[in-house]
Amino acid sequence: MPGHRPYRLHRPWTVLGSRELLDADPFLKVRVETVELPDGRRIDDYYQFDQPSFACIFAETADGRIVTYRQYRHGPRKVGLVFPGGHLSPGEDPLAAAKRELMEETGMEAERWTDLGAYIVNANQGGAWSHMFHATGCRRVADPVSDDLEDTEILFLTRTELLEAIGRGEMHLLTQIALVSMVWQADIARAVSSPG
């Protein structure tokens, strides 16, 4: 393309040393690294953390209702709306985890699954990967398994009801809003989706 300059080559940082500060496996590991940047600068205290990756599911029933639930989340210390989902077990396939979580949390199965990709939650400190899915044709086949710490109220919202709830600030987790955007923004959905 005329006048287009190619991006300069970006190189990864070199980890010179790493020391574990906290091991609360399987939920959190914290370490401090000594890193060297490509230009030679050295940072002696670059903090990193590891958390389990998770699946997040935008689940729709055959009549187009969106499966959400209202629950308290201790991180933001708020009650809000979230989608079904949860942590992947070590070595677990993300789609298998999504299907397991949908069944455990709602007692539902889906006719069709679309993989919308995996995205890192915190680019600088590491952390978890969020595996995003769109499940359609969901139907109840069992009772939910209530073994989490959360007190959950399952809701089946119309598109208008969900948008109004978002407008009132009832859905306040970034991963949840990103998932709504991926599913309902046609151009984004086409760019990131692959049938599952």
Side-chain angles (χ1 to χ4, degrees):
M1 155 181 349
H4 174 73
R5 293 185 308 175
Y7 291 103
R8 69 171 201 240
L9 182 61
H10 295 281
R11 296 181 314 244
W13 298 357
T14 302
V15 177
L16 302 174
S18 181
R19 182 172 47 94
E20 190 172 273
L21 301 177
L22 172 69
D23 183 350
D25 192 46
F27 302 107
L28 176 67
K29 291 184 179 185
V30 180
R31 66 188 179 285
V32 62
E33 294 180 343
T34 300
V35 296
E36 183 178 80
L37 281 58
D39 65 6
R41 287 181 290 161
R42 179 180 161 141
I43 301 170
D44 292 317
D45 58 353
Y46 203 85
Y47 292 90
Q48 297 285 281
F49 61 88
D50 296 321
Q51 293 177 297
S53 294
F54 59 93
C56 189
I57 307 130
F58 189 99
E60 293 183 77
T61 60
D63 65 353
R65 297 227 173 220
I66 299 101
V67 182
T68 64
Y69 47 91
R70 183 175 285 123
Q71 67 179 199
Y72 173 79
R73 291 293 175 105
H74 193 62
R77 288 166 170 70
K78 290 177 76 170
V79 172
L81 291 178
V82 295
F83 294 120
H87 292 139
L88 275 65
S89 297
E92 187 176 24
D93 174 74
L95 178 57
K99 290 179 178 181
R100 175 182 52 76
E101 288 289 343
L102 183 64
M103 176 61 73
E104 288 175 4
E105 294 183 351
T106 69
M108 301 182 98
E109 288 182 342
E111 289 177 13
R112 288 172 307 285
W113 287 87
T114 303
D115 183 339
L116 299 174
Y119 306 90
I120 192 75
V121 176
N122 185 324
N124 288 323
Q125 276 68 47
W129 284 88
S130 176
H131 296 269
M132 307 291 226
F133 294 94
H134 185 197
T136 57
C138 295
R139 67 190 186 293
R140 172 78 60 89
V141 296
D143 289 329
V145 177
S146 180
D147 64 353
D148 277 342
L149 299 174
E150 297 99 357
D151 180 21
T152 299
E153 174 190 7
I154 298 175
L155 304 169
F156 299 89
L157 303 179
T158 65
R159 181 183 178 113
T160 298
E161 289 168 337
L162 180 56
L163 288 170
E164 288 172 353
I166 290 169
R168 290 190 301 269
E170 291 182 43
M171 185 170 275
H172 47 265
L173 302 177
L174 178 60
T175 53
Q176 314 296 289
I177 294 295
L179 185 52
V180 172
S181 299
M182 282 187 232
V183 172
W184 283 348
Q185 174 58 41
D187 293 338
I188 295 171
R190 277 192 298 275
V192 301
S193 67
S194 60

